Amino acid sequence: MNALRFDSTATAAWAAFSGDYNPIHFDPAFARSTIGTEGTVVHGMLAMLALKQAVSERPWAGDGWLQWTGMLKQAMPSQLDYAVHLSAPEADAKVRFRLHSPADAEKRILGNCAPVAFDTAPYRTPPRHVLDAAAVNERLQGFADAFPAATSCWVAIDALIFAEYIQRHSIDTFREDIVQHFGAEMEIDLGKASLLTMQTHHRCIFRTALLQDVGHFTFDRIAYDIRKIDEITTHDSLFATIDIPVWLNDTLSQVVQIGLMARKKPALPHEEAEL
């Protein structure tokens, strides 16, 4: 069991790498009014780094695929200490993990990692987005330098692809869905104070070779695709899931799945009075 604290330095480092400047991570008043937490909220992806690396250090055998799945159950106030717990009775068996706060006993992230028989057939369509290889190799090493406790290659690629989604695709992927569900006046903008966006789950399926340290790899070609695979609406929220398959040196090597929730920020009493 390892103790964790996510201070402002770690928050700033993750935001700088990923481009995720959602106000719940920086504005205590916004976080309080939308989620009800005291203080800001830890980035889910930042909190998951320790869980991913802990699983990576297990003695996985063979040359196959692993599936890592994390469910974000509760918002994580930045001022609390957190602990990582792994349950792995046998080598190469399913590992269950959780991230919780000893202060309130809440289970913030729950999940598992296990070998899978992964069918690559649905991913035969050529990728639409190709990244500059030299820039990507530099960014992956930059990630390892910024987060030296999480240097497994699949973790670095996962972070890179999440950053690509946030910086290049998040505004447009669900623009029409947001406008249709919340009204024409609402545009997707992750930094907009009127729209709350949060991650609900995260899944990575990856080749076991990528458990090695990112420093062992240099990629000549990196490409990916963006696919919406699920969408559920309620009267005040939109839940969606995207798949991002990743090809390294023209070989499908990792699939990142991101679950998202969007809803309008509830109006504060003084805001309702002004309407």
Side-chain angles (χ1 to χ4, degrees):
M1 184 179 296
N2 301 312
L4 296 172
R5 176 172 279 271
F6 303 100
D7 58 18
S8 59
T9 300
T11 297
W14 175 255
F17 181 85
S18 67
D20 185 354
Y21 286 94
N22 189 321
I24 63 174
H25 308 304
F26 297 94
D27 184 344
F30 184 87
R32 186 182 307 111
S33 66
T34 54
I35 305 177
T37 59
E38 290 301 322
T40 56
V41 174
V42 180
H43 289 88
M45 288 291 288
L46 174 62
M48 286 187 282
L49 290 181
L51 294 168
K52 294 170 185 173
Q53 188 63 29
V55 163
S56 298
E57 294 168 0
R58 294 289 302 168
W60 301 104
D63 181 18
W65 294 85
L66 292 174
Q67 179 173 289
W68 187 100
T69 302
M71 304 298 295
L72 288 78
K73 307 295 288 184
Q74 300 283 342
M76 294 167 283
S78 300
Q79 75 272 18
L80 297 181
D81 290 327
Y82 294 93
V84 170
H85 180 82
L86 262 64
S87 175
E90 299 177 6
D92 208 36
K94 177 182 285 190
V95 175
R96 291 181 172 82
F97 55 77
R98 70 176 184 269
L99 185 144
H100 66 282
S101 172
D104 59 12
E106 291 284 355
K107 297 176 181 178
R108 308 289 173 162
I109 301 176
L110 296 174
N112 63 77
C113 184
V116 292
F118 182 54
D119 181 11
T120 63
Y123 299 95
R124 290 175 178 169
T125 304
R128 293 174 291 175
H129 308 285
V130 179
L131 300 175
D132 179 79
V136 166
N137 288 314
E138 183 177 348
R139 288 173 68 188
L140 290 174
Q141 189 55 54
F143 171 84
D145 293 340
F147 304 97
T151 59
S152 288
C153 189
W154 78 273
V155 180
I157 291 170
D158 181 34
L160 173 73
I161 292 301
F162 182 86
E164 282 292 307
Y165 172 74
I166 292 294
Q167 296 173 26
R168 297 182 56 187
H169 305 285
S170 59
I171 292 177
D172 293 324
T173 303
F174 296 103
R175 182 190 296 274
E176 293 183 4
D177 306 276
I178 291 290
V179 170
Q180 181 177 358
H181 190 61
F182 295 113
E185 76 284 358
M186 180 65 69
E187 295 180 357
I188 261 197
D189 181 349
L190 293 181
K192 193 167 184 175
S194 58
L195 185 67
L196 171 67
T197 58
M198 292 185 66
Q199 195 173 4
T200 58
H201 74 270
H202 195 82
R203 174 173 293 163
C204 275
I205 304 171
F206 59 94
R207 295 183 182 272
T208 53
L210 297 178
L211 289 166
Q212 295 185 72
D213 189 276
V214 69
H216 287 89
F217 297 88
T218 299
F219 299 110
D220 298 319
R221 180 177 168 85
I222 302 95
Y224 67 94
D225 204 5
I226 300 279
R227 305 177 180 186
K228 290 197 294 186
I229 61 172
D230 194 19
E231 184 176 305
I232 299 172
T233 58
T234 67
H235 72 284
D236 64 350
S237 300
L238 170 68
F239 297 87
T241 306
I242 59 170
D243 253 7
I244 310 178
V246 183
W247 285 259
L248 303 174
N249 296 341
D250 295 319
T251 299
L252 179 68
S253 301
Q254 188 159 330
V255 179
V256 177
Q257 185 182 101
I258 305 172
L260 301 166
M261 180 275 292
R263 64 177 172 85
K264 279 188 176 181
K265 173 182 174 289
L268 296 175
H270 72 274
E271 293 174 333
E272 294 175 339
E274 293 171 357
L275 297 177

